[in-house]
Amino acid sequence: MRSDANIAGPMTDPVPGPRSETAGEDVSRETPTPMDDTPIGRAAQLAVEALGRAGEGLPRPEQTRVMVVANQKGGVGKTTTTVNLAASLALHGARVLVIDLDPQGNASTALGVDHHSEVPSIYDVLVESKPLSEVVQPVPDVEGLFCAPATIDLAGAEIELVSLVARESRLQRAIQAYEQPLDYVLIDCPPSLGLLTVNALVAGAEVLIPIQCEYYALEGLGQLLRNVDLVRGHLNPTLHVSTILLTMYDGRTRLASQVADEVRNHFGEEVLRTSIPRSVRISEAPSYGQTVLTYDPGSSGALSYLEAAREMALRGVQIRYDGHSGHTSAPNEQQNLAEGIQ
């Protein structure tokens, strides 16, 4: 975890611009005020409350929840959502594995995990049939969080997988053979619908779709839902869209509210109540090899991801007891809705 000096900073910074204080030592140039009345004081207080709340723990799923974080549209906060939800669940006491399937390796970078070309990676698991346990690394600073990193070798995996036996289910077999106990596996997919994403969809039971609160938010979503439908019909009958998370929400704009309302109206209960705000703190964290949970625990972004993880975990328990499948509309209905509001 970061020191108290590094926790300090503006609680939220929706848009870049001049600041009256900087994170860390250079606190303020104005007349000193009581600690709780300053932005840094409030952030520190929120950080303590947030981490204390995270430590309460959540009910663990009866079996490992394998969740595929997918959206072929780039820039929607997919990798950011994967690593921050994973860190939030781990801080809540769960054992979480992040599988980085994106050749860019952004999830590995954000988690502070080494992923240069000589490091054993998920490429070796998919193409060379190396056991998953031989590539998984613990994430620094977050107990219970692990990562199977991606290296640049993964860029050629799409072509190499074509000629391999059982090419669509190689990741599924690797996860099933992994012997360490896990509560959650979060798979960060590349922004495409190729063989890497198909491997993820075959391996998972749930699909989590981040949708940004911006114009064209649902562009291309119909194709993703069609692919989910195809994989369910031919390769993985348990697959379903269980969670939709609204990201990059800016409450000051009418557009963000309109997009959020539209998504909630069309997708109903799959949409988490918690939305993730547009925040510079969330964007800054990966450059320090951290999630926003350790970079700035008191920020609005960190608190939002903690709450989203809590909601997601509790929802899983509720679905288990209620006997619901976790999705409210048939895939064809979801597909038609997405196409209708493009």
Side-chain angles (χ1 to χ4, degrees), residues 116-128:
H116 58 79
S117 56
E118 285 79 25
V119 171
S121 70
I122 199 67
Y123 168 85
D124 301 295
V125 173
L126 294 175
V127 178
E128 307 293 342

Side-chain angles (χ1 to χ4, degrees), residues 26-27 122 212 214 227 282:
D26 189 12
V27 179
I122 199 67
Q212 85 278 33
E214 294 179 355
N227 279 35
I282 293 176

Side-chain angles (χ1 to χ4, degrees), residues 71 73 76 209-221 246-247 255 259-260 262-263 338 341-342:
N71 192 331
K73 189 174 186 299
V76 300
I209 305 176
I211 296 178
Q212 85 278 33
C213 296
E214 294 179 355
Y215 196 56
Y216 292 138
L218 301 177
E219 187 179 43
L221 193 56
L246 295 167
T247 63
L255 176 62
V259 171
E262 202 165 19
V263 171
I341 50 183
Q342 279 183 35

